[in-house]
Amino acid sequence: MSTVLLIARTPHVIEQVTSATSGQVQVIAGEQMQNAALIASAIAGPPLPGLLMVESGSDEQEALSIAGWAVERFGAPVVLVTPDPHRAGLAAMRAGVRDMITPDSTVDEYRDVIARNRWAAQSPSIDERRGRVITVASPKGGVGKTTVTTNLAVGLSQLAPESVVLVDLDIHFGDVASALNLLPEYALPDAARAAGGDPLAVKPYLTRHETGLWVVAGSDSPAAADEVTATGVTDLLRSLVQSFSYVVVDTAPGLSEHTLAALDLTDILVLVTGLDVPGVRGLRKEIDTLAQLSLPLEARHIVLNFADAARGLTTADVESTIQAPVDHVLPSSKMVPISVNQGIPLLQSRTKDPVTRQLQQLVERISGQQENKIRRGFFGTRGRKESA
């Protein structure tokens, strides 16, 4: 049976819902209600709640902001617990609330409203509810793409623990496990074979990192890696987006069939290049190719790595060549090779240097399409003060 997620202030409401669900309820109450990241993680899963119930209390707008975000982001069924359903009716309808109930309703009434609105026990389809796929790509190797990817995944995991999975899609030469100092028992071929639209079948083949990040590691066996097809990649990503808020994909250089399969499901694309003429020209070709494919991306971020005035190129030169703005500039730093050799991403060790700050800004910009919207909608000025 799918769990009910209840966000409530009143002990009586918590007791009624707990009784009506026979304890199959996750409760966010008290000071936890001020934690936007916690609420977002609970709504996004895993596991995915079958129903969201939100008590309005004295701040109805805050409750409707939560409801509206859950409906818009996941199509989640929402029941509003309000003392005045008639007054809340129009605003609740606009927020996408499916049903309403008063706080003093009986246990049987709570049970009825939950039964009417809860999702079925089976997982919803990918079209009903899915996490975001973030693909990191580059036209050539040696540009620090995996360093950017692992730091991005770790940074997102710090915002949404247990809700981020990193997939090493560099079929033959993936080194995500090394970059995270992991010794995985299973790898990409195992996870791809297990995938078939059922997220529960994939979970045993993931490796958990100490930051709460989940990882599909690359294969050490070229023969096993050859068995991973583009269709297998599609099935794997479709399974993962049903259970995770973010699916971060590290790809091989160029546009292989596996990378193209990932791009078909990608919401946010991160393109990485180094500050050298071959890399920049390659990026221009890749951007042109992707434009021809007309991918329906939610956002695109261009990262310029190893920026150094001594290299003879400037950010303006890069932007002129690729005919697009550079979103993030990562300066050369002695901290990066130390981090790579230790297998500890900079955002995990929280070093204070320009590269770490830029990587953090990349995380904030990408997560901002979700988390910052939640903070503004949920808490208004209070949320902004808390995040400062």
Side-chain angles (χ1 to χ4, degrees):
M1 180 180 293
S2 52
T3 302
V4 172
L5 174 61
L6 173 64
I7 302 173
R9 290 181 170 80
T10 309
H12 176 72
V13 171
I14 296 172
E15 291 173 4
Q16 296 293 82
V17 174
T18 301
S19 297
T21 59
S22 300
Q24 297 294 316
V25 60
Q26 178 186 355
V27 179
I28 294 179
E31 294 182 358
Q32 292 180 328
M33 296 180 67
Q34 302 305 314
N35 189 330
L38 173 64
I39 293 175
S41 177
I43 294 173
L48 301 174
L51 176 65
L52 173 63
M53 301 185 72
V54 185
E55 183 184 8
S56 65
S58 59
D59 193 344
E60 186 173 282
Q61 186 54 51
E62 181 179 301
L64 291 177
S65 295
I66 297 173
W69 177 81
V71 171
E72 176 186 352
R73 178 67 182 84
F74 296 110
V78 180
V79 171
L80 182 68
V81 183
T82 173
D84 193 347
H86 294 291
R87 184 179 60 81
L90 181 59
M93 180 184 69
R94 288 173 174 169
V97 170
R98 182 176 293 186
D99 211 335
M100 289 182 280
I101 190 171
T102 59
D104 58 357
S105 297
T106 66
V107 171
D108 285 341
E109 289 170 331
Y110 273 101
R111 188 177 292 114
D112 287 343
V113 78
I114 291 169
R116 285 199 307 270
N117 294 283
R118 179 158 47 183
W119 256 320
Q122 67 269 21
S123 299
S125 71
I126 189 172
D127 294 327
E128 291 175 318
R129 192 173 193 183
R130 66 188 295 267
R132 282 188 173 96
V133 176
I134 304 168
T135 298
V136 185
S138 65
K140 63 186 290 289
V143 299
K145 173 179 53 60
T146 297
T147 298
V148 171
T149 307
T150 50
N151 276 279
L152 173 60
V154 165
L156 290 171
S157 185
Q158 290 168 343
L159 293 175
E162 312 295 336
S163 297
V164 182
V165 61
L166 169 56
V167 180
D168 190 345
L169 206 56
D170 190 339
I171 301 298
H172 293 107
F173 302 104
D175 54 4
V176 162
S178 174
L180 293 171
N181 197 26
L182 290 173
L183 294 174
E185 181 178 358
Y186 299 104
L188 175 65
D190 305 300
R193 278 193 297 269
D198 181 2
L200 296 179
V202 177
K203 193 68 178 282
Y205 298 98
L206 308 184
T207 303
R208 188 181 182 280
H209 188 251
E210 60 187 286
T211 59
L213 169 70
W214 291 90
V215 178
V216 177
S219 176
D220 289 333
S221 168
D226 285 337
E227 296 176 4
V228 180
T229 65
T231 300
V233 170
T234 298
D235 289 342
L236 175 61
L237 297 183
R238 284 183 176 273
S239 294
L240 293 173
V241 293
Q242 295 181 55
S243 294
F244 292 92
S245 300
Y246 298 103
V247 179
V248 183
V249 182
D250 189 31
T251 61
L255 293 173
S256 68
E257 62 174 345
H258 301 92
T259 298
L260 290 173
L263 289 173
D264 282 339
L265 296 175
T266 295
D267 300 295
I268 301 171
L269 176 63
V270 179
L271 292 171
V272 183
T273 184
L275 193 58
D276 59 80
V277 171
V280 174
R281 287 179 174 172
L283 179 60
R284 170 61 190 275
K285 293 178 182 178
E286 187 152 327
I287 290 174
D288 290 344
T289 301
L290 295 174
Q292 293 172 9
L293 295 175
S294 301
L295 295 170
L297 298 173
E298 177 182 304
R300 185 185 71 185
H301 303 267
I302 295 178
V303 177
L304 175 60
N305 203 7
F306 308 131
D308 188 334
R311 290 176 176 258
L313 291 177
T314 66
T315 301
D317 293 330
V318 175
E319 292 178 330
S320 176
T321 300
I322 66 176
Q323 297 184 358
V326 171
D327 300 292
H328 299 275
V329 178
L330 307 182
S332 294
S333 170
K334 64 181 181 181
M335 298 302 299
V336 174
I338 293 174
S339 167
V340 171
N341 290 334
Q342 292 178 338
I344 303 175
L346 292 171
L347 290 185
Q348 180 183 353
S349 58
R350 299 181 184 273
T351 58
K352 295 182 179 180
D353 65 279
V355 177
T356 305
R357 287 196 295 270
Q358 285 294 319
L359 288 168
Q360 186 62 49
Q361 287 178 16
L362 174 63
V363 171
E364 291 171 355
R365 185 167 179 182
I366 288 178
S367 65
Q369 295 164 22
Q370 175 170 316
E371 318 302 344
N372 290 345
K373 181 177 180 180
I374 297 169
R375 286 190 178 277
R376 288 194 300 270
F378 286 14
F379 304 127
T381 304
R382 284 182 294 149
R384 289 192 291 273
K385 287 181 179 178
E386 289 171 2
S387 62

